[in-house]
Amino acid sequence: MRFSKSVPWSGPILDITQVINQSPELDEILEKSAKLMARTGYHGASMRDLARVTGRSLSGLYHYFQGKEDLLYLINQSGFSSLLNMVDELEAAAMGPSEKLHNLICNHIGYFADHLDEMRVIVFGTQDLTSKRSRKISNLKENYRKKVQVIVGNYITDKKGYPPDTSELERKTFLLFGMMNWIFSWYSSGDHGPAQDLAEDIFNTFTRGCAGN
Amino acid sequence: MRFSKSVPWSGPILDITQVINQSPELDEILEKSAKLMARTGYHGASMRDLARVTGRSLSGLYHYFQGKEDLLYLINQSGFSSLLNMVDELEAAAMGPSEKLHNLICNHIGYFADHLDEMRVIVFGTQDLTSKRSRKISNLKENYRKKVQVIVGNYITDKKGYPPDTSELERKTFLLFGMMNWIFSWYSSGDHGPAQDLAEDIFNTFTRGCAGN
DNA sequence: AATACTACCGAACGAACGTTCGAACGCAAG
DNA sequence: CTTGCGTTCGAACGTTCGTTCGGTAGTATT
């Protein structure tokens, strides 16, 4: 038990870094909530709306989490933890810099395309979380960004024979994130083909874009 | 007078396509509202919050517009109209395809960097507008996207000697928008240098990225 | 049969929301 | 001086918000 005061079953373990949502019901609630919040934003989706789309009663929802804000926190944490897990595996893998960058982009785009609604919620930001939680999510995000930046840096170093200066590397990494993350606003697999084709296009565009000085 | 029922001075002309905010007070309200909404989102900024940041009373605000939703509409309309005006001028200019694309990116990034808060509000979407107004903004956005796509298409055609197929062109255009628009989430002129340098970097990355097949 | 616990709900609470209304102010025209 | 108008405001309206509380089934354990 995590909470000294006895609570029915004390909700999800909110302080853990890993993605262990030990309840399929909560997972379903998170997914359907993200689907709604992706359209309306966090404040735009009321608890009554969330009760309706999850097929539950208003008060019944509170059995799975302690407050509305938990939903936003869990959606963000789940997303960034998954991305971090993927890049951690990639870090350890035996691969050339180019292949690593290619895999990174495929993983990122693949996850994004599979969790478009959650990613849309994440793009809207963490302003509505308590500052402590907002900082926690920001740390996850910054960790991920730095690991991606290392992979991009290794690629450029390998390609050009010398490392890029930090501000150029940082900027290029942000441009890559731009191409990848902006798909939240336009991509659907039905209209624009499979995610892997898109990942391929981004990889080609970015690597060729890094070609010159 | 625009409204049959006599109203003090009837608010802004909301149905016009151009950016004619005939009141500097309204402009100031829009700017300060965008600054707050960029952090909190539309629903996250209450009319009482907006009254505070604009230095006015709650009810006093209603002299300059008819409802909270007008603010969101006007911010969106102002942004897209400005972007459209710039690209319209560029369309008419006598310039080569490469120079046109270069100017387009400089204009877009320059406007974005100068109106970061407004652009952040715009990125959050028009879900909170009435469907009629939401459609109006979507039309402006789609118009802009198509004009940019034409310029990108002319550049690629000129560079490769033959036109790209539509789905490739559409995708490349979205990737360009990704690099440009994603700056809403990271760019500040203090930390990352002047906007024109950034525009240069995006132009180089994109054009080199279009080099291959 | 009694107990304990999980899962769930209807009803209600106080707070905050967007909006309205009547009244006041300053100032230029009659 | 009085009138009318653009501008601003405090107070209040009805609604919706997130959350809480008391209670009820159903199930497993004793």
Side-chain angles (χ1 to χ4, degrees):
Chain A
M1 282 293 167
R2 290 192 56 81
F3 302 93
S4 49
K5 298 183 62 175
S6 89
V7 176
W9 71 260
S10 83
I13 300 179
L14 292 173
D15 291 299
I16 213 164
T17 326
Q18 295 293 42
V19 205
I20 313 176
N21 289 337
Q22 61 278 58
S23 149
E25 284 88 357
L26 178 59
D27 276 345
E28 191 202 344
I29 291 173
L30 285 177
E31 190 188 327
K32 291 181 173 171
S33 298
K35 189 171 182 175
L36 180 61
M37 287 185 185
R39 291 199 303 109
T40 66
Y42 173 74
H43 288 289
S46 72
M47 287 296 292
R48 286 160 181 85
D49 293 333
L50 296 175
R52 193 170 29 77
V53 300
T54 55
R56 289 161 194 279
S57 72
L58 174 59
S59 49
L61 282 179
Y62 285 85
H63 211 66
Y64 294 97
F65 49 86
Q66 304 194 10
K68 190 187 178 188
E69 190 215 16
D70 293 356
L71 291 177
L72 186 59
Y73 180 70
L74 290 169
I75 290 170
N76 272 271
Q77 193 203 228
S78 161
F80 283 115
S81 297
S82 300
L83 291 171
L84 268 168
N85 283 345
M86 290 192 297
V87 80
D88 281 341
E89 276 185 34
L90 202 57
E91 251 178 352
M95 247 180 241
S98 173
E99 197 185 350
K100 243 179 201 178
L101 179 61
H102 184 264
N103 272 285
L104 171 81
I105 293 174
C106 287
N107 285 347
H108 188 101
I109 292 289
Y111 188 81
F112 240 75
D114 272 358
H115 301 82
L116 264 183
D117 290 326
E118 285 87 347
M119 293 302 128
R120 277 188 253 257
V121 173
I122 287 177
V123 166
F124 292 163
T126 58
Q127 177 64 28
D128 304 307
L129 296 177
T130 62
S131 61
K132 190 182 209 169
R133 283 176 158 185
S134 179
R135 230 175 299 121
K136 246 173 202 166
I137 298 297
S138 293
N139 286 341
L140 291 181
K141 177 155 66 170
E142 186 62 7
N143 272 348
Y144 183 63
R145 213 212 79 228
K146 279 179 180 157
K147 290 181 186 221
V148 171
Q149 190 163 302
V150 167
I151 291 178
V152 170
N154 288 341
Y155 170 80
I156 295 179
T157 305
D158 180 65
K159 182 163 187 172
K160 304 217 281 190
Y162 58 92
D165 69 74
T166 312
S167 75
E168 186 202 337
L169 172 58
E170 200 176 46
R171 200 179 266 185
K172 281 283 199 291
T173 305
F174 276 128
L175 295 190
L176 175 59
F177 272 121
M179 286 193 277
M180 294 195 297
N181 293 349
W182 190 249
I183 70 169
F184 91 90
S185 78
W186 61 273
Y187 177 76
S188 79
S189 63
D191 293 342
H192 305 97
Q196 286 316 308
D197 292 1
L198 175 56
E200 214 65 47
D201 202 351
I202 292 178
F203 175 76
N204 288 331
T205 303
F206 183 72
T207 52
R208 283 198 287 255
C210 286
N213 278 349
Chain B
M1 282 291 166
R2 288 194 56 82
F3 300 94
S4 48
K5 297 183 63 175
S6 88
V7 177
W9 73 260
S10 84
I13 300 179
L14 292 172
D15 291 298
I16 213 163
T17 326
Q18 297 292 43
V19 206
I20 314 176
N21 290 337
Q22 60 280 56
S23 149
E25 284 89 357
L26 178 59
D27 277 343
E28 191 202 346
I29 290 173
L30 286 177
E31 191 187 326
K32 292 182 174 173
S33 298
K35 190 171 182 175
L36 179 62
M37 287 185 185
R39 291 198 304 108
T40 66
Y42 173 73
H43 289 290
S46 71
M47 288 296 292
R48 285 162 181 84
D49 293 332
L50 296 175
R52 193 170 30 78
V53 300
T54 55
R56 290 161 194 278
S57 71
L58 174 59
S59 50
L61 282 178
Y62 285 85
H63 210 67
Y64 293 98
F65 48 86
Q66 304 196 8
K68 189 186 178 187
E69 190 215 15
D70 292 358
L71 292 177
L72 186 60
Y73 180 70
L74 289 169
I75 290 170
N76 272 271
Q77 194 204 228
S78 161
F80 283 116
S81 295
S82 299
L83 290 171
L84 268 168
N85 283 344
M86 290 192 297
V87 80
D88 280 342
E89 276 185 35
L90 202 57
E91 250 178 352
M95 246 180 242
S98 174
E99 197 184 351
K100 243 180 199 175
L101 178 61
H102 184 264
N103 272 285
L104 171 80
I105 293 174
C106 286
N107 284 347
H108 188 102
I109 293 289
Y111 188 80
F112 240 76
D114 273 356
H115 301 82
L116 264 183
D117 289 326
E118 285 86 347
M119 292 302 129
R120 277 189 252 257
V121 173
I122 288 177
V123 166
F124 292 162
T126 58
Q127 178 64 29
D128 304 309
L129 296 176
T130 62
S131 61
K132 190 183 209 169
R133 283 176 157 184
S134 180
R135 229 175 300 121
K136 247 173 202 168
I137 299 297
S138 293
N139 286 341
L140 291 180
K141 176 154 68 170
E142 186 63 7
N143 272 349
Y144 183 63
R145 212 212 79 227
K146 278 180 180 156
K147 289 180 185 216
V148 170
Q149 190 163 302
V150 167
I151 291 179
V152 170
N154 288 341
Y155 169 81
I156 295 179
T157 305
D158 181 64
K159 181 163 188 173
K160 306 218 281 191
Y162 58 91
D165 70 73
T166 312
S167 75
E168 186 202 336
L169 172 58
E170 199 174 46
R171 200 178 267 184
K172 282 282 198 291
T173 305
F174 277 127
L175 295 190
L176 175 60
F177 271 121
M179 288 194 275
M180 295 195 297
N181 293 349
W182 191 250
I183 70 170
F184 91 90
S185 79
W186 60 274
Y187 177 75
S188 79
S189 64
D191 292 342
H192 306 96
Q196 285 317 306
D197 292 1
L198 175 57
E200 215 65 45
D201 201 350
I202 291 178
F203 175 75
N204 289 331
T205 303
F206 182 73
T207 52
R208 284 197 287 255
C210 286
N213 279 348

